[in-house]
């Protein structure tokens, strides 16, 4: 069955403007990031029966036990990445594809890995239909990164990582930034790792967030 592009009505656009105002008030200052959130129709990534939830600043289930991150969290992680046009960006945890579209809106070349086959299949078919054919999706284990396409200017992990995977550090360019929520299942600390020109690392922490866990076993056919 062909996938149909959902409608983006004036009502949706109006709700999106309000959501962006809300996120600005919560402290996101980067206008380019706010513009990207105003451009990408978040309701496209929701089941039609749950559309009314799309413009609340809340996470929401997307099936397979996973969630689309809270818009504030998407904005916060994106702001930390300091995306420049044509940056090569690796995302771990494609999920609905919403975060990947925000990165693409900012001019990034996006590579995104998902370990759950159902989500991978659904999202990789959906992204070209909603206008993001350049996002490259991969079915695999994010702990390993994407050696074939490395190195990356930026990396974003959108699941809770119990530790910082070594492969990601290796695949980051000097001058590159990794944004990753590190911690156990209950709460994680948003963390950035900058790879310096001499290949040393500088770590900074940005407070508590909650993500679904990054799962360590290899990619699963579920
Ligand atoms: N960025 C997503 C949010 C995804 S939630 C969005 O915008 O919708 C986290 C995602 O990470 C889930 O889809 C989960 O299946 C995936 N995930 C968990 N462990 C992973 C791993 N080891 N490698 C790749 N993806 C993983």
């Amino acid at each position: 069955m062909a996938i149909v592009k959902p409608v983006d009505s004036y009502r949706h656009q109006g709700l999106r403007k309000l959501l962006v105002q809300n996120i600005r008030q919560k402290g996101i200052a980067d206008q380019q990031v706010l513009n990207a959130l105003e451009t990408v129709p978040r309701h496209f990534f929701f089941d039609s029966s749950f559309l009314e939830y799309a413009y609340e600043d809340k996470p929401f289930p997307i099936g397979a036990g996973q969630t689309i991150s809270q818009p504030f969290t998407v904005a916060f992680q994106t702001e930390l990445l300091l995306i420049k046009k044509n940056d090569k960006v690796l995302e771990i945890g494609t999920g609905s594809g919403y975060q990947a579209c925000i990165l693409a809106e900012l001019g990034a070349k996006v590579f995104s890995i998902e370990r759950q086959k159902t989500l991978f299949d659904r999202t990789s078919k959906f992204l070209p239909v909603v206008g993001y054919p350049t996002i490259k999706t991969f079915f695999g284990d994010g702990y390993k990164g994407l050696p074939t396409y490395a190195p990356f200017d930026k990396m974003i992990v959108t699941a809770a990582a119990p530790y910082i995977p070594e492969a990601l550090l290796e695949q980051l360019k000097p001058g590159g930034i990794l944004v990753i929520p590190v911690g156990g299942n209950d709460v994680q600390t948003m963390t950035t790792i900058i790879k310096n020109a001499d290949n040393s690392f500088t770590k900074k922490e940005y407070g508590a967030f909650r993500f679904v866990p990054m799962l360590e076993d290899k990619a699963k056919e579920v």
Side-chain angles (χ1 to χ4, degrees), residues 66-67 91 93-96 99 114-116 119 141-142 158 215:
Q66 303 305 323
T67 57
E91 178 189 28
T94 315
S96 70
Q99 171 75 71
E114 173 56 54
R115 70 178 283 285
Q116 298 213 50
L119 281 175
D141 179 5
T158 67
L215 299 164

Side-chain angles (χ1 to χ4, degrees), residues 57-78:
D57 188 24
K58 288 184 183 156
F60 200 79
I62 52 173
Q66 303 305 323
T67 57
I68 180 171
S69 302
Q70 181 177 347
F72 174 78
T73 305
V74 171
F76 194 87
Q77 286 195 285
T78 308

Side-chain angles (χ1 to χ4, degrees), residues 85 97 105:
K85 202 165 163 43
E105 263 318 314

Side-chain angles (χ1 to χ4, degrees), residues 198-213:
D198 63 358
N199 283 338
S200 65
F201 295 98
T202 304
K203 176 172 153 179
K204 290 187 187 158
E205 295 184 335
Y206 295 86
F209 286 80
R210 287 184 67 112
F211 285 79
V212 294

Side-chain angles (χ1 to χ4, degrees), residues 13-89:
Q13 291 166 32
L15 290 171
R16 209 146 64 234
K17 269 195 178 12
L18 292 175
L19 173 66
V20 168
Q21 279 173 20
N22 177 359
I23 288 172
R24 184 188 279 114
Q25 278 159 12
K26 288 180 177 170
I28 303 297
D30 185 326
Q31 193 54 46
Q32 305 230 67
V33 172
L34 293 168
N35 289 348
L37 266 93
E38 195 163 324
T39 304
V40 181
R42 191 166 183 260
H43 68 280
F44 282 9
F45 304 85
F46 280 61
D47 199 296
S48 60
S49 41
F50 297 112
L51 279 187
E52 64 201 84
Y53 296 99
Y55 295 109
E56 291 181 14
D57 188 24
K58 288 184 183 156
F60 200 79
I62 52 173
Q66 303 305 323
T67 57
I68 180 171
S69 302
Q70 181 177 347
F72 174 78
T73 305
V74 171
F76 194 87
Q77 286 195 285
T78 308
E79 190 170 55
L80 289 175
L81 282 172
L82 306 175
I83 298 290
K84 293 196 296 291
K85 202 165 163 43
N86 292 324
D87 270 353
K88 217 167 123 187
V89 181

Side-chain angles (χ1 to χ4, degrees), residues 92-123:
I92 310 299
T94 315
S96 70
Y98 176 70
Q99 171 75 71
C101 293
I102 295 290
L103 296 169
E105 263 318 314
L106 290 165
K109 293 182 201 146
V110 185
F111 299 74
S112 186
I113 310 177
E114 173 56 54
R115 70 178 283 285
Q116 298 213 50
K117 190 74 165 65
T118 42
L119 281 175
F120 166 77
D121 286 342
R122 193 171 79 195
T123 301

